[in-house]
Amino acid sequence: MDTDRKSTVSQFGRVSMTIFSRFMKDESGATAIEYGLIAAIVGVGIIAVLKNVRTGLQSTFNKVNDELGTAVQ
């Protein structure tokens, strides 16, 4: 191998290691995943709360409907 080719191969190795080390230090993707998981958990919590609210509203409207039905007669 001639000197120029060895230099080019060595330089390529340094560049690829620099890119790899930069990739390993980058945490922006991990942060996006964490925010996604938090949003999913909050969404599941909202759905659970809304189911309880729905049940309470249904019983209230049924009670009002029954009272109005007996008042009309």
Side-chain angles (χ1 to χ4, degrees):
M1 236 184 212
D2 61 350
T3 311
D4 289 338
R5 185 165 170 89
K6 284 183 182 179
S7 176
T8 304
V9 170
S10 175
Q11 189 177 15
F12 176 74
R14 275 187 263 135
V15 170
S16 63
M17 286 304 292
T18 304
I19 292 171
F20 180 73
S21 65
R22 229 185 287 155
F23 175 74
M24 292 304 292
K25 291 178 184 176
D26 185 17
E27 295 182 2
S28 60
T31 303
I33 291 172
E34 290 168 357
Y35 283 131
L37 289 173
I38 291 170
I41 291 170
V42 168
V44 168
I46 289 172
I47 290 170
V49 168
L50 288 178
K51 281 187 177 185
N52 289 336
V53 169
R54 176 181 170 233
T55 304
L57 283 174
Q58 278 181 333
S59 65
T60 300
F61 280 117
N62 286 337
K63 183 177 177 183
V64 168
N65 188 31
D66 291 342
E67 293 294 326
L68 286 174
T70 56
V72 171
Q73 294 176 2

